[in-house]
């Protein structure tokens, strides 16, 4: 009976999905427990990043979503309007509440809002994977990551972590590069350098981000 039950669980989860966990149901379960544990921190950071952007852009105009002409802002407003089945005029808060982290990231990139997050630019990437570096390469020449580079990398890794977590993907999955080196799929490439987040360092990474933005944030969890 136990063997039959186990086979049914494998069928329901799918053999293809479990292959990413070495066909080990226990590893699959551990991944879900990790996602459950970090979800409050991810959710809090997503809200905070979105609101930091809103606070900054509201300094110029309380109705910046309606008034700005940058493509990233125009496109997200258009998308929200198209999904607004009631067709009633949305308040500023209602627009903001419908922003995805992807929307916010595009706005940060287009409007170059990275300086808003300079608190996190003191990150040491080697703390989060042994093969990480704090420099990249341009024309085969070593260049140290700038403060903006570090914020860019950190926010993109967080975005990847958020998406993989909320799609219930394996946070410890590895990828093999063309040169044969293996590195976590939680990564971002900038200036010909891949910066990765080790699955065992995810909780430390999220705690670092929260503390850099405001040390009182973790008290709300």
């Amino acid at each position: 009976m136990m063997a039959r039950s186990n086979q049914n669980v494998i069928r329901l989860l799918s053999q293809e999905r479990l292959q990413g966990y070495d066909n080990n149901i226990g590893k699959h379960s551990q991944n879900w427990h990790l996602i459950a544990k970090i979800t409050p921190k991810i959710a809090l950071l997503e809200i905070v990043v979105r609101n930091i952007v809103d606070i900054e852009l509201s300094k110029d105009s309380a109705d910046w979503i309606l008034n700005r002409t940058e493509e990233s802002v125009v496109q997200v407003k258009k998308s929200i309007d198209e999904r607004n089945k009631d067709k009633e005029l949305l308040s500023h808060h209602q627009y903001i509440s419908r922003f995805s982290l992807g929307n916010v990231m595009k706005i940060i990139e287009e409007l170059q809002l990275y300086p808003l997050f300079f608190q996190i630019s003191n990150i040491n990437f080697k703390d989060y994977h042994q093969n990480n570096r704090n420099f990249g390469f341009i024309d085969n020449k070593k260049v140290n990551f700038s403060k903006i580079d570090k914020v860019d990398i950190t926010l993109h890794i967080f975005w990847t972590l958020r998406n993989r977590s909320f799609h219930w993907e394996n946070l410890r999955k590895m990828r093999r590069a063309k040169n044969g080196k293996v590195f976590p799929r939680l990564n971002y490439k900038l200036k010909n350098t891949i910066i990765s987040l080790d699955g065992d360092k995810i909780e430390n990474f999220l705690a670092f981000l929260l503390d850099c933005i405001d040390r009182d944030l973790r008290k709300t969890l």
Side-chain angles (χ1 to χ4, degrees), residues 59-111:
K59 292 177 181 177
D60 293 330
S61 170
D63 293 323
W64 64 267
I65 297 173
L66 303 179
N67 298 333
R68 297 197 74 108
T69 59
E70 289 88 356
E71 182 179 359
S72 57
V73 179
V74 172
Q75 287 301 316
V76 68
K77 179 183 180 298
K78 179 180 177 182
S79 177
I80 292 172
D81 287 341
E82 290 174 348
R83 297 196 307 269
N84 181 18
K85 296 180 180 180
D86 295 333
K87 301 302 178 183
E88 294 181 2
L89 182 63
L90 298 176
S91 68
H92 181 80
H93 174 75
Q94 287 173 318
Y95 273 116
I96 291 296
S97 67
R98 287 164 170 77
F99 275 36
S100 69
L101 182 58
N103 296 146
V104 176
M105 287 294 295
K106 290 177 182 177
I107 292 172
I108 291 173
E109 182 174 3
E110 184 176 5
L111 276 62

Side-chain angles (χ1 to χ4, degrees), residues 13 40 54 69 113 134 137 139 164 168 171 214:
L13 290 174
D54 179 40
T69 59
L113 299 177
N134 291 300
F137 294 91
D139 297 328
R164 292 186 64 79
W168 324 115
L171 301 185
D214 191 312

